[in-house]
Amino acid sequence: MYKKLFSINWLLPVLLLTMSTLMQAAQVKDIRVGQQPGSTRLVFELDSSVDHRMFPLSNPDRVVLDINDTDISQDVVASLSALSSDALLRVRYAKRDSGMRFVLDLNKKVKAKTTKLAASGGYGPRILVELDYGVQSSSAPTVVKSLASISDEKRDIVVVIDPGHGGKDPGALGQYKVREKDIVLSIGRELAKRLNAKPGIKAVMTRSTDVYLQLRDRSRVAREANADLMISIHADAFTKSSARGASVWALSLSGKTSEMGRWLAQQEQSADLVGGISLDDKDQLLAEVLLDMSMNSTIQMSLDIGKEVLGEMRGVAKLHKNSVQQAGFVVLKSPDIPSILIETGFVSNKTEAKNLSSLTYRRKLASSIAKGVEDFFVSNPPDGTYIAWQKTQKGGYTYTVSKGDTLSEIARKNGVSLDSLRSANTLRNDVIWIGQKLSIPAS
């Protein structure tokens, strides 16, 4: 009796200590990557505040972040493969003592620093990791560079692709046991492949696996990636199986009004909201004017991009509406990021459910969306991007013919005449083929 009691008395503190350690472990809820000129920022969001340390390693270059008393969810583990930037090659992780070790493999030398952020604005405690690799100073000596090295300094156009639903939320359920979350994830992956194949465009996915994201979290990914465009992909369902057709949506004016009110109510969180101009130090009237101008411009650009995409989708899918529609969807409400929502078809319709179940069809649909996006940005490239430089540089550049291209269309979207394009490539007629390299003359 004495021995048994002694054994229990000895074991009890150990069990209590173990349970206490487990209860105190924080959870890494999310890891997000944002790209800025000369800098990459990673945000590690936790459900409680814990200590951490960071140190660099070389040969090869990498940064190690140790977070104490922490665990990581499988949803976050599944998303690690999608984390990358100009400076960040990949993120690896391992369990270390009672915490987690994250290794940030780098593409280039950086200056790394961390900041511990308190919970605020609906976000939990965060650890901000900044990887700075600098922008060339204007006072630096003039150096003659090749066109290739100049083009390397131009930023990519960032397109955030948001496959709707996911995880516990299957979305619409349709014929042939089709689930919306599976279809849109497949289309999103195919779209990302095609956009990433275009020099000067970088695709970032809000989710690349079957995980659930809150609607505001999807827009937050776009903000942190400094997106030039956000595309949300969905599939429809209706009580009548005869309903069918794809559609493209942009934000409505009523949606704009409600979102303005939300942002103006939290001006202290809008430090880089309108073209880098903070609203938190502006009076109410000026803040309203700035925000209204930004959202009007964003909506118009969304409509223009949506028109290009809808025009390309017409060749693959039956359209539910022949023009871009407008509504107050939450994922369209970023005040300064053009955003479109694509309904790829009705899974409640037998024909469209069968089409969307086909990988071949999904690839065709993704190609049409990619072409619409590419055509818009080739004609309207943001300043400072590789495509803007490519379009205006004096020496001309090379264009690779892709499916659906015609010589006249290539001339139009590259801002050159058809005759000059023929002459630059010694073409006797307008016959071209996929994969052909065409020299685009200076405009």
Side-chain angles (χ1 to χ4, degrees), residues 35-40 56-63 84-90 104-112 130-136 149 151-156 202:
Q35 177 71 53
Q36 295 180 339
S39 174
T40 289
L57 294 173
S58 56
N59 296 319
D61 292 323
R62 57 205 187 279
V63 169
S84 65
S85 72
D86 288 352
L88 180 65
L89 182 63
R90 62 179 170 267
L104 315 181
D105 292 320
L106 305 172
N107 288 319
K108 57 184 72 179
K109 290 189 178 298
V110 304
K111 291 182 179 179
E130 296 177 87
L131 307 175
D132 293 324
Y133 47 94
V135 179
Q136 184 178 0
S149 66
S151 67
D152 287 343
E153 296 175 2
K154 306 301 180 184
R155 76 170 182 87
D156 289 334
K202 177 183 177 181

Side-chain angles (χ1 to χ4, degrees), residues 13 28 41 85 92 119 121 190 198 223 244 265-266 273 306 316 339 341 345 364 382 387 398 401 403 426:
V28 179
R41 298 192 303 175
S85 72
R92 294 181 284 126
E190 295 295 330
K198 171 74 174 176
R223 300 202 66 77
R244 61 179 302 191
Q266 53 178 27
L273 180 59
V316 176
S339 306
L341 184 145
K364 288 180 179 178
I387 291 179
T398 300
V401 178
K403 187 175 181 180
T426 322

Side-chain angles (χ1 to χ4, degrees), residues 155-176:
R155 76 170 182 87
D156 289 334
I157 293 170
V158 178
V159 179
V160 169
I161 300 167
D162 174 39
H165 307 281
K168 64 183 181 181
D169 176 14
L173 304 175
Q175 303 275 351
Y176 304 106

Side-chain angles (χ1 to χ4, degrees), residues 197-424:
K198 171 74 174 176
I201 296 181
K202 177 183 177 181
V204 174
M205 295 189 68
T206 58
R207 69 177 185 97
S208 55
T209 57
D210 185 20
V211 296
Y212 174 74
L213 291 175
Q214 297 280 353
L215 293 176
R216 293 287 180 185
D217 288 340
R218 298 170 188 268
S219 297
R220 186 176 64 194
V221 171
R223 300 202 66 77
E224 292 177 349
N226 290 315
D228 296 280
L229 170 65
M230 181 174 180
I231 302 174
S232 190
I233 305 174
H234 287 260
D236 238 330
F238 195 60
T239 52
K240 293 184 178 179
S241 61
S242 58
R244 61 179 302 191
S247 55
V248 177
W249 297 76
L251 185 63
S252 65
L253 294 178
S254 59
K256 181 196 84 167
T257 302
S258 63
E259 189 65 8
M260 280 182 62
R262 193 181 80 88
W263 278 100
L264 289 168
Q266 53 178 27
Q267 287 183 30
E268 71 281 358
Q269 298 175 33
S270 56
D272 297 308
L273 180 59
V274 184
I277 300 174
S278 172
L279 297 183
D280 62 356
D281 58 349
K282 308 294 187 297
D283 63 43
Q284 185 75 8
L285 179 58
L286 179 55
E288 287 182 13
V289 170
L290 288 172
L291 191 54
D292 186 59
M293 290 173 62
S294 177
M295 294 198 75
N296 284 339
S297 176
T298 299
I299 290 174
Q300 185 55 57
M301 190 170 174
S302 302
L303 290 169
D304 292 342
I305 296 172
K307 184 178 179 181
E308 288 277 0
V309 170
L310 196 66
E312 294 298 332
M313 289 176 63
R314 182 177 284 109
V316 176
K318 176 180 174 60
L319 298 184
H320 187 65
K321 298 287 186 180
N322 289 317
S323 60
V324 180
Q325 305 299 294
Q326 292 180 263
F329 297 121
V330 172
V331 290
L332 299 177
K333 289 186 174 183
S334 291
D336 51 353
I337 302 174
S339 306
I340 59 174
L341 184 145
I342 299 173
E343 294 283 3
T344 54
F346 283 79
V347 294
S348 51
N349 179 275
K350 183 174 283 190
T351 300
E352 294 197 339
K354 184 176 181 180
N355 285 341
L356 291 168
S357 297
S358 164
L359 179 58
T360 300
Y361 180 83
R362 294 197 297 268
R363 285 174 173 167
K364 288 180 179 178
L365 198 58
S367 291
S368 69
I369 297 169
K371 191 171 189 308
V373 171
E374 291 170 11
D375 285 356
F376 177 84
F377 280 120
V378 166
S379 298
N380 308 274
D383 291 340
T385 60
Y386 171 81
I387 291 179
W389 168 83
Q390 188 186 53
K391 188 174 180 181
T392 59
Q393 57 93 11
K394 301 300 182 182
Y397 58 95
T398 300
Y399 179 89
T400 303
V401 178
S402 59
K403 187 175 181 180
D405 279 338
T406 64
L407 197 66
S408 60
E409 180 67 12
I410 292 171
R412 182 192 67 79
K413 67 185 182 183
N414 287 283
V416 298
S417 70
L418 186 56
D419 286 341
S420 66
L421 185 57
R422 290 194 196 102
S423 176

Side-chain angles (χ1 to χ4, degrees), residues 17-206:
L17 179 62
T18 303
M19 291 174 63
S20 174
T21 301
L22 289 173
M23 289 174 64
Q24 290 176 0
Q27 186 88 353
V28 179
K29 296 171 57 181
D30 194 13
I31 304 175
R32 304 183 294 277
V33 173
Q35 177 71 53
Q36 295 180 339
S39 174
T40 289
R41 298 192 303 175
L42 290 93
V43 178
F44 292 75
E45 185 174 348
L46 304 120
D47 58 6
S48 61
S49 181
V50 290
D51 292 329
H52 72 278
R53 68 168 187 148
M54 185 184 71
F55 56 92
L57 294 173
S58 56
N59 296 319
D61 292 323
R62 57 205 187 279
V63 169
V64 177
L65 175 69
D66 288 335
I67 306 179
N68 298 341
D69 303 320
T70 308
D71 204 349
I72 186 171
S73 71
Q74 288 305 305
D75 285 350
V76 176
V77 170
S79 68
L80 290 180
S81 60
L83 301 180
S84 65
S85 72
D86 288 352
L88 180 65
L89 182 63
R90 62 179 170 267
V91 177
R92 294 181 284 126
Y93 79 101
K95 189 70 180 170
R96 183 178 181 275
D97 298 330
S98 62
M100 298 298 302
R101 166 164 288 184
F102 294 93
V103 179
L104 315 181
D105 292 320
L106 305 172
N107 288 319
K108 57 184 72 179
K109 290 189 178 298
V110 304
K111 291 182 179 179
K113 66 176 182 178
T114 64
T115 306
K116 196 172 180 179
L117 303 175
S120 67
Y123 301 139
R126 288 149 292 161
I127 298 171
L128 171 64
V129 178
E130 296 177 87
L131 307 175
D132 293 324
Y133 47 94
V135 179
Q136 184 178 0
S137 170
S138 59
S139 61
T142 301
V143 179
V144 177
K145 301 181 178 181
S146 67
L147 292 178
S149 66
I150 293 173
S151 67
D152 287 343
E153 296 175 2
K154 306 301 180 184
R155 76 170 182 87
D156 289 334
I157 293 170
V158 178
V159 179
V160 169
I161 300 167
D162 174 39
H165 307 281
K168 64 183 181 181
D169 176 14
L173 304 175
Q175 303 275 351
Y176 304 106
K177 298 182 180 180
V178 166
R179 297 188 303 181
E180 180 180 3
K181 70 172 185 176
D182 301 327
I183 287 172
V184 298
L185 179 57
S186 175
I187 294 172
R189 287 170 173 165
E190 295 295 330
L191 176 58
K193 287 180 187 176
R194 282 151 181 77
L195 290 177
N196 283 328
K198 171 74 174 176
I201 296 181
K202 177 183 177 181
V204 174
M205 295 189 68
T206 58

